[in-house]
């Protein structure tokens, strides 16, 4: 398609000929850049996206109350309702799969820490723990600890492939960060970075926007762009070549995430699931978490705005919310399911439209900054594959154990560095006490346990049993100089 006549014909066919309106003004280099933009954009596909998005904008946003049902109990497991013996069975299954090298992790890390006051990728953010470890380091060390646990359990050393989806703006700094820190002790061959895709921005009447005379205005296609990127970046081929059968997908900004959680993986494998959602109980009917539920016989995530308050407030006989399965962007997929989505259903995924103020080049070639929304950005959400699952299950976990989002600056007072730190301190203090340790004070305890010392509280009894600690406590693995308690000792 390098021939300009082919490009002109293509753009004309899809009513996008305006993209070339400054052609006579462009240098040879700029012309090549513009042609490259057009080649990479897949004009027929994105124009079909706009048509679908436009149709969805004109649809009346009906409430879903009458079409809504909760997840059936036989597909809805929960840590709190599962016996220790069965939890152990799930965990053992998960560790076996890890030791066989069948488990991969899909990390969605395309976002920057803008709202946290940082221009770096959010995964590089340091929330201020005693160790000053970044989110990337914490998650890398959880993977290292888990492979060790799998080997100790099965006698076989497997590997977890860490597949990280970055964005156009986070790819290079993320790669440099990993190289600088020597992949945090992981084998660099088991860490795969790739970029999510971009979609062009459109005017309300369907014209692709230019942000320079020779550049198409594009924006990330959302975390649901994962599937398109897995296909286009040949990551699905890599997954298949490595023999990976099960993948844990999650966002980078949950500081409590149990990466490649063997209990979750084991539960899903035992249930024969092709797709699963890990959820927490909503704290209130109006909490801003989407709910995993059944709509017209298909599973999906329904946002709070899509149902009435009356339905959101419905409760079961035990007092729990009827629609309680709060989605936390934490999922399980089989490799076969991902392949089916990438190759067959990706083009059917729902498009979410945001009306935005998008800088544009006017008819004279001048860059304009609009004062009100002048176009749309389209994105897809990772959970929009649920309707294509033939066996979806849900696994409910305790919020205080596994979910603490990092989205805002401390001034917001929630989902911020302070709450992330405090949630780590609270969980790790509990680990110490449950393992037979204690603290000489009971208020404002600062306690951090290295992921290399314990993945989820295991193995601490022989270290902390009978000990009384002062705050702050930073418990390290033997490789990290044992224990630092206030002063090193």
């Amino acid at each position: 398609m390098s021939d300009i006549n082919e490009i002109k014909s293509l753009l004309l066919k899809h009513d996008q000929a305006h993209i070339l309106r400054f052609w006579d003004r462009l240098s040879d280099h700029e012309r090549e850049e513009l042609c490259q933009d057009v080649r990479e954009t897949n004009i027929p596909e994105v124009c079909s996206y706009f048509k679908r998005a436009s149709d969805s904008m004109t649809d009346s946003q009906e409430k879903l109350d009458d079409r809504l049902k909760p997840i059936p109990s036989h597909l809805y497991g929960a840590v709190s309702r599962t016996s220790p013996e069965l939890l152990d069975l799930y965990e053992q299954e998960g560790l076996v799969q890890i030791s066989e090298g069948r488990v991969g992790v899909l990390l969605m890390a395309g976002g920057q820490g803008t709202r946290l006051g940082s221009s770096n990728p959010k995964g590089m953010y340091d929330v201020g723990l005693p160790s000053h470890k970044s989110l990337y380091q914490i998650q890398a060390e959880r993977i290292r600890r888990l492979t060790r646990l799998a080997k100790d359990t099965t006698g076989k050393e497997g590997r977890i492939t860490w597949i990280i989806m970055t964005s156009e703006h986070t790819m290079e700094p993320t790669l440099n960060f990993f190289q600088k820190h020597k992949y945090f002790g992981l084998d660099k061959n088991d860490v795969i970075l790739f970029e999510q895709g971009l979609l062009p921005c459109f005017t309300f009447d369907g014209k692709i926007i230019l942000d320079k005379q020779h550049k198409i205005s594009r924006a990330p296609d959302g975390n649901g762009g994962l599937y398109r990127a897995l296909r286009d970046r040949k990551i699905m081929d890599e997954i298949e070549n490595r023999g990976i059968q099960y993948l844990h997908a999650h966002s980078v900004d949950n500081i409590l995430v149990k990466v490649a959680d063997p209990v979750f993986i084991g539960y899903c494998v035992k249930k024969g699931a092709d797709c699963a959602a890990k959820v927490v109980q909503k704290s209130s009917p109006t909490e801003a978490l989407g709910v995993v539920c059944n709509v017209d016989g298909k599973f999906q995530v329904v946002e709070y705005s899509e149902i009435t308050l009356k339905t959101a407030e419905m409760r079961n006989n035990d007092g729990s919310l009827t629609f309680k399965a709060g989605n936390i962007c934490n999922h399980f997929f089989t490799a076969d399911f991902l392949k089916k989505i990438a190759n067959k259903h990706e083009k059917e995924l729902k498009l979410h439209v945001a009306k935005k103020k998008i800088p544009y080049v006017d008819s004279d070639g001048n860059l304009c900054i609009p004062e009100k929304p002048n176009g749309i950005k389209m994105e897809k959400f990772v959970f929009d594959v649920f309707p294509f699952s033939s066996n979806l299950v849900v696994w409910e976990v305790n919020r205080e154990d596994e979910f603490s989002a990092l989205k805002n600056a401390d001034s917001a007072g929630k989902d911020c560095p302070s709450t992330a730190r405090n949630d780590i301190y609270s969980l790790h203090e509990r680990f110490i006490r449950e393992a037979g340790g204690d603290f000489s004070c009971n208020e404002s305890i600062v306690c951090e346990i290295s992921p290399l010392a314990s993945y989820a509280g295991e193995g601490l009894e022989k270290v902390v049993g009978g000990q009384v600690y002062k705050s702050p406590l930073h418990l390290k693995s033997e490789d990290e100089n044992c224990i630092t308690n206030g002063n090193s000792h």
Side-chain angles (χ1 to χ4, degrees):
M1 204 173 72
S2 58
D3 182 78
I4 186 59
N5 291 325
E6 287 186 39
I7 291 177
K8 283 181 179 178
S9 176
L10 174 71
L11 295 177
L12 190 63
K13 179 179 178 181
H14 294 280
D15 201 21
Q16 303 295 336
H18 67 283
I19 289 175
L20 297 178
R21 67 187 175 202
F22 303 110
W23 185 260
D24 293 340
R25 302 186 192 180
L26 303 180
S27 67
D28 288 345
H29 178 69
E30 288 171 335
R31 288 178 175 180
E32 181 52 38
E33 278 196 48
L34 182 55
C35 287
Q36 185 63 27
D37 261 14
V38 174
R39 291 185 203 107
E40 293 176 353
T41 299
N42 193 337
I43 297 296
E45 183 177 62
V46 300
C47 287
S48 72
Y49 285 171
F50 174 80
K51 185 179 186 310
R52 286 174 49 213
S54 181
D55 291 343
S56 73
M57 284 193 296
T58 57
D59 289 344
S60 59
Q61 293 298 310
E62 62 170 325
K63 298 294 183 180
L64 298 175
D65 300 56
D66 294 338
R67 301 161 54 197
L68 212 62
K69 293 181 180 179
I71 301 294
S73 58
H74 70 282
L75 299 177
Y76 193 135
V79 169
S80 61
R81 299 194 304 273
T82 304
S83 69
E85 294 77 18
L86 193 50
L87 287 173
D88 185 61
L89 180 68
Y90 293 151
E91 182 178 47
Q92 296 304 307
E93 177 66 30
L95 292 173
V96 167
Q97 299 299 336
I98 288 168
S99 70
E100 295 290 341
R102 297 182 187 133
V103 174
V105 173
L106 286 172
L107 175 64
M108 291 166 278
Q112 293 169 286
T114 309
R115 282 193 281 174
L116 300 168
S118 170
S119 60
N120 288 325
K122 193 183 283 190
M124 291 169 56
Y125 193 78
D126 166 12
V127 303
L129 297 173
S131 67
H132 290 287
K133 291 176 179 177
S134 64
L135 294 174
Y136 279 141
Q137 182 169 355
I138 291 168
Q139 292 170 29
E141 291 182 352
R142 285 180 183 151
I143 289 174
R144 287 175 59 190
R145 173 66 182 174
L146 197 50
T147 54
R148 175 66 183 270
L149 287 175
K151 182 181 179 182
D152 290 347
T153 300
T154 67
K156 187 171 183 178
E157 185 164 7
R159 65 180 184 178
I160 295 173
T161 302
W162 200 14
I163 304 167
I164 303 173
M165 185 174 74
T166 67
S167 65
E168 179 184 31
H169 299 293
T170 63
M171 179 67 167
E172 186 174 352
T174 295
L175 179 59
N176 292 339
F177 191 65
F178 273 79
Q179 290 174 340
K180 176 183 176 182
H181 293 281
K182 299 180 179 178
Y183 293 82
F184 306 105
L186 294 168
D187 184 336
K188 69 178 183 179
N189 295 315
D190 291 334
V191 181
I192 300 171
L193 275 63
F194 69 104
E195 281 185 41
Q196 73 183 99
L198 299 169
L199 288 175
C201 304
F202 282 84
T203 63
F204 294 128
D205 59 356
K207 304 293 188 186
I208 291 174
I209 294 173
L210 294 176
D211 65 7
K212 292 182 182 177
Q213 293 181 19
H214 65 289
K215 291 294 290 182
I216 290 174
S217 176
R218 298 189 290 185
D221 55 1
N223 60 20
L226 171 70
Y227 311 105
R228 185 168 172 244
L230 287 174
R231 178 195 70 199
D232 294 350
R233 309 288 185 188
K234 309 299 183 185
I235 306 300
M236 283 308 308
D237 295 342
E238 188 71 33
I239 288 170
E240 187 171 353
N241 292 339
R242 287 171 176 252
I244 298 168
Q245 297 181 22
Y246 310 110
L247 295 110
H248 178 214
H250 64 90
S251 57
V252 74
D253 59 4
N254 175 10
I255 198 168
L256 296 184
V257 65
K258 287 185 175 179
V259 185
D261 176 14
V263 175
F264 183 39
I265 290 167
Y267 168 75
C268 295
V269 172
K270 289 291 189 184
K271 289 288 186 179
D274 59 359
C275 175
K278 183 180 280 193
V279 301
V280 297
Q281 281 202 37
K282 289 189 69 169
S283 60
S284 71
T286 57
E287 184 182 12
L289 285 180
V291 178
V292 184
C293 53
N294 186 314
V295 180
D296 297 335
K298 295 284 187 181
F299 297 119
Q300 69 179 68
V301 173
V302 172
E303 301 298 338
Y304 168 66
S305 60
E306 295 179 293
I307 56 176
T308 63
L309 180 60
K310 181 179 179 181
T311 295
E313 290 179 334
M314 287 174 58
R315 294 188 180 271
N316 303 318
N317 292 334
D318 62 1
S320 64
L321 291 171
T322 300
F323 298 102
K324 62 184 177 182
N327 180 55
I328 57 173
C329 195
N330 195 317
H331 308 300
F332 165 94
F333 304 114
T334 65
D336 287 343
F337 179 75
L338 284 178
K339 187 175 181 180
K340 181 177 76 170
I341 295 297
N343 294 336
K344 182 178 179 182
H345 296 299
E346 201 282 334
K347 61 182 179 294
E348 303 170 50
L349 295 185
K350 183 177 179 180
L351 287 161
H352 301 265
V353 177
K355 297 180 180 180
K356 296 286 187 178
K357 292 182 283 188
I358 304 168
Y360 66 97
V361 174
D362 66 14
S363 57
D364 295 322
N366 300 313
L367 182 64
C368 301
I369 308 298
E371 295 181 354
K372 61 181 181 180
N374 64 315
I376 66 167
K377 294 182 178 180
M378 299 177 292
E379 61 180 359
K380 301 175 182 181
F381 294 160
V382 67
F383 53 72
D384 285 328
V385 298
F386 289 0
F388 302 104
S389 168
S390 57
N391 189 19
L392 181 140
V393 297
V394 170
W395 182 243
E396 181 187 289
V397 297
N398 300 321
R399 182 185 297 248
E400 63 271 21
D401 294 343
E402 299 199 38
F403 183 55
S404 179
L406 180 64
K407 298 186 180 298
N408 308 311
D410 274 336
S411 57
K414 65 175 185 177
D415 297 339
C416 60
S418 292
T419 55
R421 282 196 306 274
N422 290 334
D423 288 340
I424 282 278
Y425 296 158
S426 177
L427 177 63
H428 289 187
E429 176 192 348
R430 179 152 48 90
F431 286 164
I432 295 292
R433 294 188 186 279
E434 289 174 350
D438 204 350
F439 290 87
S440 57
C441 64
N442 290 311
E443 295 180 2
S444 301
I445 291 173
V446 173
C447 176
E448 179 187 3
I449 301 171
S450 167
L452 296 173
S454 183
Y455 176 83
E458 81 291 332
L460 295 177
E461 292 85 355
K462 61 182 180 182
V463 178
V464 307
Q467 301 291 320
V468 178
Y469 296 105
K470 296 178 182 178
S471 176
L473 170 66
H474 181 197
L475 187 66
K476 303 179 181 181
S477 70
E478 292 181 2
D479 296 341
E480 298 173 288
N481 301 323
C482 299
I483 298 174
T484 301
N485 181 5
N487 298 315
S488 298
H489 70 280

